[in-house]
């Protein structure tokens, strides 16, 4: 469900920006806070990756977001109310997770025709998601079919 919220923010092209009612998270920890729309310091902190917009992790409790952000999250989660209620019954609390992350200790090196990437991610983040955003993946089955046609 979090990924659905992220997808909606990506579609709206505001996944890396403040929208009214957003809950921001400090980089490197789970501390969250609300901020005012006209906070000029907020925009500078966003640009320098000191803070990040967040999305809802479904569970017990009210959404911490307000205004436009809450409307977006509510619209996404409404279709999943049975799941939200099930997670709540299991004792999960509604929390927030940053919509973006910046891998640290990023290094790359070519070994012949193979690229080796190394980076560090905080707990709960997935390297596969980072790689998906970095790479252009071709359907290898089409490449094999094309190679077979060329050899005929």
């Amino acid at each position: 469900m979090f990924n659905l919220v992220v997808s909606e923010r990506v579609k709206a092209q505001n996944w890396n920006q403040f929208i009214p009612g957003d809950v921001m998270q400090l980089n490197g920890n789970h501390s969250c806070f609300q901020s005012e729309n006209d906070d000029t310091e907020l925009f500078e902190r966003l640009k320098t990756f000191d803070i990040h917009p967040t999305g809802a992790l479904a569970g017990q409790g009210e959404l911490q977001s307000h205004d436009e952000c809450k409307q977006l999250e509510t619209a996404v989660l409404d279709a999943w109310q049975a799941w939200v209620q099930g997670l709540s019954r299991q004792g999960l609390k509604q929390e927030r997770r940053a919509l973006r992350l910046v891998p640290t200790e990023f290094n790359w090196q070519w070994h012949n025709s193979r690229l080796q990437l190394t980076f560090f991610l905080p707990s709960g983040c997935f390297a596969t998601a980072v790689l998906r955003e970095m790479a252009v993946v071709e359907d290898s089955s089409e490449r094999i079919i094309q190679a077979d046609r060329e050899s005929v």
Side-chain angles (χ1 to χ4, degrees):
M1 288 177 278
F2 170 80
N3 289 345
L4 295 172
V5 170
V6 175
S7 292
E8 284 302 310
R9 294 282 299 254
V10 168
K11 283 182 202 171
Q13 299 180 347
N14 61 20
W15 61 272
N16 60 349
Q17 302 168 15
F18 174 82
I19 63 173
D22 243 332
V23 178
M24 308 308 284
Q25 186 177 67
L26 295 172
N27 189 47
N29 67 44
H30 298 287
S31 296
C32 292
F33 67 94
Q34 295 261 328
S35 187
E36 299 299 319
N37 297 350
D38 60 355
D39 186 348
T40 55
E41 181 184 345
L42 175 95
F43 297 106
E44 187 59 35
R45 293 178 73 190
L46 268 168
K47 285 192 327 190
T48 61
F49 297 96
D50 181 43
I51 59 174
H52 308 284
T54 63
L57 294 171
Q60 294 175 356
E62 291 294 315
L63 289 171
Q64 297 171 26
S65 55
H66 298 284
D67 302 328
E68 184 180 333
C69 184
K70 186 172 187 170
Q71 290 173 358
L72 182 145
E73 291 177 347
T74 300
V76 170
L77 296 177
D78 273 351
W80 295 88
Q81 282 308 301
W83 283 76
V84 172
Q85 292 168 5
L87 293 170
S88 295
R89 281 192 301 275
Q90 294 301 314
L92 275 75
K93 293 184 176 24
Q94 193 275 124
E95 297 181 9
R96 308 293 298 180
R97 178 178 286 167
L99 298 179
R100 63 184 190 171
L101 66 96
V102 180
T104 58
E105 302 174 33
F106 187 88
N107 290 296
W108 62 275
Q109 186 174 21
W110 283 102
H111 296 282
N112 297 320
S113 63
R114 293 178 186 236
L115 178 62
Q116 178 184 10
L117 301 173
T118 58
F119 50 87
F120 175 80
L121 297 175
S123 175
C125 299
F126 298 95
T128 52
V130 173
L131 294 175
R132 182 190 68 224
E133 296 303 318
M134 293 174 46
V136 175
V137 179
E138 296 176 357
D139 184 348
S140 62
S141 63
E142 288 189 25
R143 189 173 38 215
I144 293 168
I145 291 169
Q146 184 176 11
D148 287 345
R149 286 183 189 151
E150 291 172 0
S151 64
V152 174

